[in-house]
Structure formats: C-alpha cells, structure tokens
Amino acid sequence: MSDASKSAVQPAAGTLYGVGLGPGDPELMTLKAHRLISNARIIAYPAPDDGESFARSIAADAIRADAREIPIVVPMRVERFPAQAVYDKAAEEIGAALAAGHDVVTLCEGDPFFYGSFMYLFERLSPRFACEIVPGVTSLTACAARLQRPLTARNDVLTVIPGPLSDDEIRPRIEAAGAVAIMKVGRHLDRLARLLDDMGLLAHAGYVERATLASEKVMPLADIRSDAAPYFSMILIYKGDEAWMLPPQSSS
C-alpha cells in the first residue's frame, strides 16, 4: 500500500477540549460546556487519590452513562508531590485517544487557564493535537458576586495573590494595589488575617469559602473564628476610593 493510501485510511486526530465548569454550581456552566460534556464519549478530569472528583461532581448530570472516563489522580499532600509524572501519564493516555481519532473533553474547575491544572495537559498535547479552550466562570468573579461587592473600578489595579506566598512577598503587592484577591487561603488563613490587621486592612477584607456551593460561607474576614480555611477560599480587599461596603451581616 502506498504512503498516500495509508494516510487515507488513518483516522483524523481528535480535538482536546479544556472545558471550564465554573466555581461549583452546575447552573454556572456555560451552554457550550454543557453541550460538549453531554456529547462527549471520552471525559478526563482531575481527581484526588481519596474521595470524589470535584470537577466531575459539577458536571455529573451531563456526563453520558456510556462515556469512557479518564481520572487524572493527583495525590493531595501538604508536601510538594511530583505532579509532572501524573500529567505525563495522563497526556500519554489522552494522547493515544486523540491519535486514534477521538475527541477528549477535559473538565476543569473554574476556568482552564486561570490557575487551572489543564494548562499542564495543554503544554504537553497542543503541539501535536488541535485544542479548544472553553472559558468558565472563575472563582474570582464568583466570590465577588457572593460577597456582593464589586472587585475593582475605574483605574484601580486589581492584584491576584496566591496565599502560600510569604508575608514579605505579599505585603508590597497589597501596598501597590487598589484591590486585592488572595486565593488558596487554606492553612494560611490566620497568618494572612494577622498581616492584613497589621496593615490596617482587616475591616476592608471580605471572606468567601466554597463559593456557590450549599456549604459556602460569606462574611467579613474579621468575623472568622478559625485558624484555617478550605483550599477553595478567597479573601477580597478593596482599597480604592469607591464607597463599597461589606454585606451588613454574615451568612453561612
């Protein structure tokens, strides 16, 4: 058989979709995300080594009963885990499906390119396969909505800061910003609250955990009576000239 004949019978490669699911409420998935998921024959998603995949739980009602599922299991550890090997293995399995002509829909909490783990698959697979990114509602905008306070306005600079950074790294970034979002609060909650108190910003800070879920908490940061928070938590601070206030009372 000639090379031309061989290429004629080989399947065209599939497309890799990175699909943002939003912050947790299934109703905040986009129409496009829902359509792709409900039609997908192969679904991939991040999963812990113990317990349910949060990403899969958001999309569960849209996943076909006959869909092939590829969990990308990343052990949840305080110490740094060699996750590169996990994504190498996942890219190999997903790449084989794409090479065989199958589309693969990868589920992503929030937005795939906003602190999303999908970017590690993208960097491994996009040089060889077509990729399409479906943006999702981010935790940043979801937390602002639940707190009922705008993120920023006019020429105010919004700065997004990962909570695990040291105080020496965080302080100058807050000082230079008009509005601040501190993500990945988790076990750093008490330290971050003390830093903001020292900076005179505690009264300007709102706190949201598990935004849009039944277990969410929304309140002024000063009202928190805990030394730690879930991973899915955020502190929002506004330092600008707009007269925005925190909600008048806490909710949980």
Side-chain angles (χ1 to χ4, degrees):
M1 182 182 292
S2 68
D3 289 341
S5 299
K6 288 179 181 178
S7 62
V9 297
Q10 289 175 345
T15 296
L16 175 65
Y17 293 90
V19 177
L21 300 172
D25 181 351
E27 292 189 337
L28 290 177
M29 278 195 292
T30 65
L31 292 172
K32 186 168 188 176
H34 191 279
R35 174 177 60 79
L36 287 168
I37 295 166
S38 60
N39 289 331
R41 295 187 176 275
I42 303 178
I43 296 275
Y45 49 81
D49 53 352
D50 182 26
E52 182 182 26
S53 163
F54 180 42
R56 191 193 185 285
S57 71
I58 298 171
D61 288 345
I63 297 175
R64 297 166 54 123
D66 62 347
R68 173 188 167 193
E69 300 188 22
I70 303 177
I72 304 168
V73 179
V74 180
M76 299 292 106
R77 302 285 186 270
V78 173
E79 66 275 12
R80 186 169 180 83
F81 181 82
Q84 298 302 323
V86 171
Y87 292 109
D88 286 344
K89 181 177 181 297
E92 183 179 351
E93 185 172 1
I94 293 170
L98 294 169
H102 303 295
D103 294 339
V104 179
V105 170
T106 303
L107 308 181
C108 315
E109 300 133 358
D111 180 273
F113 279 176
F114 186 68
Y115 291 101
S117 59
F118 175 77
M119 65 183 68
Y120 304 120
L121 293 176
F122 179 81
E123 70 177 348
R124 287 164 170 77
L125 295 169
S126 62
R128 293 186 289 137
F129 302 103
C131 294
E132 182 175 339
I133 312 303
V134 180
V137 175
T138 68
S139 57
L140 182 63
T141 51
C143 286
R146 299 308 296 157
L147 195 60
Q148 295 192 359
R149 189 178 65 177
L151 278 170
T152 190
R154 306 192 189 208
N155 293 323
D156 293 325
V157 175
L158 171 65
T159 298
V160 180
I161 301 173
L165 293 182
S166 70
D167 287 1
D168 288 343
E169 294 175 285
I170 292 175
R171 183 185 287 268
R173 288 175 167 82
I174 293 177
E175 289 173 342
V180 179
I182 304 178
M183 302 181 61
K184 307 177 184 179
V185 173
R187 66 184 186 279
H188 307 284
L189 174 63
D190 183 59
R191 173 179 61 85
L192 294 167
R194 284 188 279 109
L195 173 62
L196 294 173
D197 192 22
D198 183 64
M199 296 180 72
L201 292 173
L202 192 61
H204 297 260
Y207 171 83
V208 184
E209 68 179 53
R210 299 189 176 97
T212 78
L213 300 175
S215 58
E216 79 170 12
K217 291 183 179 179
V218 182
M219 63 185 69
L221 181 62
D223 288 357
I224 293 290
R225 299 293 180 263
S226 176
D227 294 335
Y231 178 80
F232 292 108
S233 55
M234 189 178 300
I235 296 169
L236 296 180
I237 305 153
Y238 183 69
K239 296 168 51 189
D241 295 330
E242 302 290 341
W244 297 330
M245 301 296 290
L246 289 171
Q249 61 184 16
S250 303
S251 64
S252 60

